[in-house]
Amino acid sequence: MPDTDLIPKLLNRLRMRQVALILAVGEHVTLRKASAELGMTQPAATKMIHELESALGQRLFERVGRGQKLTAAGTSVLRYFRGMRGSVESMTRELAELKLGSSGRVSVGSIMAPSPRLLTRAIITLKKAYPLLSVDVTMDTSDRLFELLREGVLDVAIGRIRDAHRGEDYVFKPLENEALAVVVGVKHPLGQKKSVRFSALLDYPWILQPAPSPMREVLEQEFRLLQAPTPKGLIETASILTTTSLIAETDMIGVIPQSIADSYARHGLVKILPCRIQHKMEAFGSITRKDRPLSEAARFFLEALHGQKPDLPA
């Protein structure tokens, strides 16, 4: 357990200039370039880092040849300082919006599955309550959304969280389990079959989400079950539009969330193959940071997302 008595002492000794310096080192790799960006001499930057190391009780850099690189502690500090920068950026955006007379901004990141129903419903409910609110929506894989949440770019992420990230820093509230569908173009040779074995799909080129996304891991497990290698010549993309456009023009195989596949199939854009994927994905849900307070609008969105009846703003 951390010594909580040290936290006030650290806050008193920590300076924003030190935070800016470590962030600059993360951007430019070398201390020389980082100090030049901040208009500092390298000796002054070195002294500032020594003061920070003294306050933290950890070495942040180690010498490698003529240069220096971050230690494990330095890498950890850099990650948390990036989160601090994200918090300040979020605060600045919200204050700027309020100054302009709007109701602020909410930044949401989501995987594909919640988009057709859960996400759409929550955004509509949010906009009815906050007509002037700006809403940023980022669609990506769970692993990428988690990084954006950690860096402060997102207020709320909707996706999956790895066991290593569960705990004191994040709040995960499950929403639903996500079924997967194997999809092809409407004229695909397998499109008229009443049953398709997964092994039969290996004769065709594939489109998969990039690693290490949870959906990709599920498919990798499926290939291992068949003792088959991951198909060569993959196209890797998290874009549904790219996936559906490619399968419409080729014999490629794609895997997308069942909820989205059903919607596309109803409009005649894809064909869902009668092929069972044996491995299941874990439930997705909302992810927020405990150390970053949510705005009133973000809390409202979160309640709407989980089907609660949020209180209307005063």
Side-chain angles (χ1 to χ4, degrees):
M1 293 292 293
D3 186 349
T4 55
D5 291 338
L6 293 177
I7 296 175
K9 296 177 182 177
L10 177 58
L11 291 175
N12 287 333
R13 296 183 65 182
L14 185 64
R15 291 182 287 159
M16 292 306 296
R17 193 71 166 165
Q18 293 168 326
V19 175
L21 178 58
I22 298 298
L23 290 172
V25 171
E27 293 292 331
H28 299 287
V29 182
T30 67
L31 184 60
R32 179 179 60 81
K33 291 181 179 179
S35 57
E37 180 187 88
L38 298 179
M40 303 170 58
T41 64
Q42 192 165 338
T46 300
K47 180 181 178 183
M48 187 175 291
I49 287 175
H50 287 164
E51 292 172 349
L52 179 58
E53 289 176 330
S54 175
L56 295 171
Q58 294 264 20
R59 289 290 302 276
L60 302 182
F61 292 87
E62 60 184 1
R63 183 166 293 281
V64 178
R66 293 185 177 180
Q68 291 182 320
K69 73 172 186 177
L70 288 167
T71 63
T75 301
S76 179
V77 168
L78 173 61
R79 185 174 69 248
Y80 280 101
F81 280 5
R82 282 175 173 164
M84 289 174 59
R85 178 176 60 187
S87 295
V88 172
E89 289 174 351
S90 296
M91 178 188 69
T92 303
R93 288 196 302 267
E94 186 170 336
L95 291 176
E97 293 287 335
L98 291 171
K99 187 175 181 180
L100 292 172
S102 72
S103 297
R105 180 184 300 270
V106 171
S107 297
V108 178
S110 178
I111 59 174
M112 296 179 291
S115 180
R117 184 171 58 85
L118 294 174
L119 180 61
T120 300
R121 181 189 66 194
I123 291 176
I124 291 172
T125 302
L126 177 66
K127 289 296 289 181
K128 285 181 179 178
Y130 294 87
L132 299 179
L133 181 77
S134 296
V135 182
D136 294 333
V137 180
T138 299
M139 306 299 293
D140 216 319
T141 58
S142 290
D143 53 308
R144 178 57 185 152
L145 293 175
F146 186 83
E147 290 300 319
L148 294 175
L149 178 68
R150 183 162 61 185
E151 293 176 7
V153 177
L154 300 177
D155 298 310
V156 179
I158 307 170
R160 292 174 181 81
I161 187 168
R162 297 180 183 274
D163 290 339
H165 296 144
R166 297 177 186 267
E168 296 181 357
D169 294 335
Y170 300 91
V171 177
F172 175 77
K173 294 182 178 180
L175 283 163
E176 290 182 355
N177 289 312
E178 178 183 4
L180 297 178
V182 179
V183 293
V184 294
V186 293
K187 297 181 180 180
H188 195 280
L190 299 178
Q192 304 305 316
K193 293 187 176 294
K194 295 182 179 180
S195 178
V196 178
R197 292 190 176 187
F198 191 88
S199 57
L201 306 179
L202 302 179
D203 295 331
Y204 296 90
W206 280 70
I207 309 167
L208 291 177
Q209 282 203 346
S213 65
M215 188 184 296
R216 175 64 174 271
E217 290 180 356
V218 166
L219 270 299
E220 296 281 3
Q221 292 172 7
E222 206 76 12
F223 294 133
R224 286 195 293 270
L225 182 66
L226 293 173
Q227 297 182 338
T230 303
K232 294 183 179 180
L234 278 176
I235 292 178
E236 298 180 273
T237 179
S239 167
I240 286 287
L241 178 59
T242 301
T243 299
T244 54
S245 296
L246 285 170
I247 65 174
E249 301 293 334
T250 68
D251 286 345
M252 292 181 179
I253 304 288
V255 179
I256 62 177
Q258 185 74 51
S259 57
I260 295 178
D262 289 340
S263 177
Y264 275 62
R266 282 196 299 269
H267 292 86
L269 300 176
V270 302
K271 187 79 174 180
I272 301 175
L273 294 184
C275 180
R276 180 170 171 263
I277 297 177
Q278 298 190 49
H279 291 86
K280 304 298 181 182
M281 298 185 72
E282 294 182 1
F284 62 82
S286 64
I287 312 169
T288 55
R289 289 185 55 151
K290 286 186 177 180
D291 62 350
R292 186 172 299 142
L294 291 175
S295 66
E296 180 181 335
R299 288 196 299 271
F300 187 98
F301 168 81
L302 205 56
E303 291 175 358
L305 179 68
H306 285 272
Q308 302 171 9
K309 189 173 181 181
D311 294 329
L312 293 175

